[in-house]
């Protein structure tokens, strides 16, 4: 015979479990232990933006590879990540910054991927219009700084220094601006056909001072996916200004720390 208190507790637990299931992941992800990490950069950057995180991962004994995202179309960007994932020899943490959260969400269904890490990154659902989702939050300042030469887009120097890399020393930010890679306008029209975060343990680093993606949008996406979430007092480039914190989150996703 079950008493009313026990029955109510069981009902509440069941409702909570259903809510978690609707998000697609357990509230506390338990990732498979992994020794491989694949990192993908977003817009206005290249693969070298992960250098300081990579140094920390290598020091911890992990095998890290940075994908050179072509920034052309979403299918081509996903394919570039998939080719690197194909080369991994076991469980692999797939990490994305900024726009490349789209790539992580799509390519993360790859069988080698054991966990996902989003660093101030887009995290759409399958088939979701990310642009429409973003418009439900206040527009971040960096959006006004995108300039186009025909179909090729980039961030102006003023917007890059102020809104993209605002917490970096100006000298360092100017070097990063000099090597930013332009993107094709069609890249922004792509939609994911999978949402890997619905089936893989997911982790999210919110940048609280972000002026490129609204921090509240980042929090919304992290909560929706049931991700283990940290907040970093950083600009959009937390992977450069706070590489230690980002590396620690990746190590957790790799089952290397609790």
């Amino acid at each position: 015979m079950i008493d009313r208190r026990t029955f109510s507790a069981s009902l509440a637990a069941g409702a909570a479990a259903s809510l978690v299931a609707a998000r697609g992941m357990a509230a506390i992800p338990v990732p498979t232990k992994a020794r491989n990490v694949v990192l993908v950069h977003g817009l206005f950057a290249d693969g070298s933006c992960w250098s300081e995180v990579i140094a920390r991962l290598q020091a911890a004994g992990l095998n890290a590879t940075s994908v050179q995202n072509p920034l052309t179309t979403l299918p081509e960007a996903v394919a570039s990540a998939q080719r690197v994932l194909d080369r991994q020899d076991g469980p692999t943490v797939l990490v994305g910054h900024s726009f490349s959260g789209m790539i992580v969400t799509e390519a993360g269904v790859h069988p080698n991927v054991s966990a996902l890490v989003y660093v101030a990154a887009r995290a759409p659902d399958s088939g979701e219009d990310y642009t429409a989702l973003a418009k439900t939050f206040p527009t971040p300042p960096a959006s006004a700084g995108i300039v186009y030469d025909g179909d090729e887009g980039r961030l102006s120097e003023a917007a890059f220094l102020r809104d993209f890399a605002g917490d970096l020393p100006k000298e360092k930010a100017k070097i990063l601006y000099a090597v930013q890679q332009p993107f094709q306008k069609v890249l922004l029209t792509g939609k994911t056909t999978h949402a890997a975060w619905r089936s893989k343990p997911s982790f999210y680093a919110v940048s609280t001072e972000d002026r490129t993606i609204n921090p509240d949008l980042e929090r919304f996406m992290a909560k929706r996916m049931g991700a283990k979430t940290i907040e970093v007092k950083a600009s959009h480039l937390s992977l450069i200004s706070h590489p230690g914190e980002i590396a620690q989150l990746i190590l957790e996703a790799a089952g290397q720390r609790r």
Side-chain angles (χ1 to χ4, degrees):
M1 188 82 176
I2 187 168
D3 61 37
R4 181 173 299 191
R5 180 176 296 178
T6 303
F7 175 78
S8 298
S10 298
L11 190 63
S18 296
L19 180 61
V20 169
R23 287 204 306 261
M25 278 306 308
I28 303 175
V30 182
T32 300
K33 193 164 186 178
R35 64 175 299 274
N36 302 309
V37 179
V38 170
L39 308 110
V40 193
H41 69 84
L43 306 183
F44 323 125
D46 68 5
S48 67
C49 67
W50 290 106
S51 296
E52 295 187 48
V53 171
I54 289 171
R56 288 162 171 79
L57 297 177
Q58 290 176 338
L62 274 65
N63 170 45
T65 306
S66 181
V67 177
Q68 292 294 352
N69 181 355
L71 300 177
T72 49
T73 68
L74 183 59
E76 289 174 349
V78 169
S80 69
Q82 288 173 330
R83 286 192 294 271
V84 176
L85 289 170
D86 287 341
R87 298 199 299 266
Q88 305 309 302
D89 60 0
T92 302
V93 177
L94 180 59
V95 186
H97 172 243
S98 192
F99 176 86
S100 71
M102 302 279 291
I103 300 169
V104 168
T105 298
E106 182 76 4
V109 297
H110 191 288
N112 282 343
V113 175
S114 56
L116 313 170
V117 179
Y118 293 81
V119 180
R122 300 185 182 199
D125 205 346
S126 175
E128 184 171 51
D129 184 338
Y130 175 83
T131 300
L133 172 64
K135 286 180 179 178
T136 63
F137 292 81
T139 301
S143 298
I146 299 176
V147 293
Y148 287 95
D149 298 314
D151 290 330
E152 194 172 81
R154 56 188 173 81
L155 204 57
S156 71
E157 183 173 8
F160 192 102
L161 300 181
R162 180 184 62 244
D163 303 323
F164 187 66
D167 62 345
L168 297 180
K170 186 175 181 180
E171 296 76 12
K172 187 168 190 176
K174 290 189 75 168
I175 292 171
L176 293 170
Y177 168 75
V179 299
Q180 75 162 305
Q181 295 299 298
F183 67 91
Q184 294 297 309
K185 189 180 292 187
V186 68
L187 178 68
L188 304 182
T189 65
K191 293 182 181 180
T192 56
T193 59
H194 301 94
W197 50 262
R198 288 194 172 276
S199 59
K200 303 287 177 80
S202 300
F203 298 75
Y204 200 110
V206 172
S207 283
T208 64
E209 312 304 305
D210 205 323
R211 292 169 61 86
T212 300
I213 295 179
N214 188 300
D216 285 334
L217 173 56
E218 294 177 15
R219 293 183 181 105
F220 167 81
M221 294 184 290
K223 183 176 181 180
R224 179 173 67 172
M225 71 172 72
K228 163 64 187 293
T229 304
I230 63 170
E231 297 213 352
V232 184
K233 189 174 181 179
S235 71
H236 195 56
L237 290 180
S238 60
L239 67 167
I240 297 175
S241 63
H242 292 73
E245 291 172 69
I246 301 305
Q248 286 300 312
L249 186 64
I250 295 170
L251 287 170
E252 185 172 349
Q256 301 290 338
R257 61 184 292 268
R258 299 295 296 173

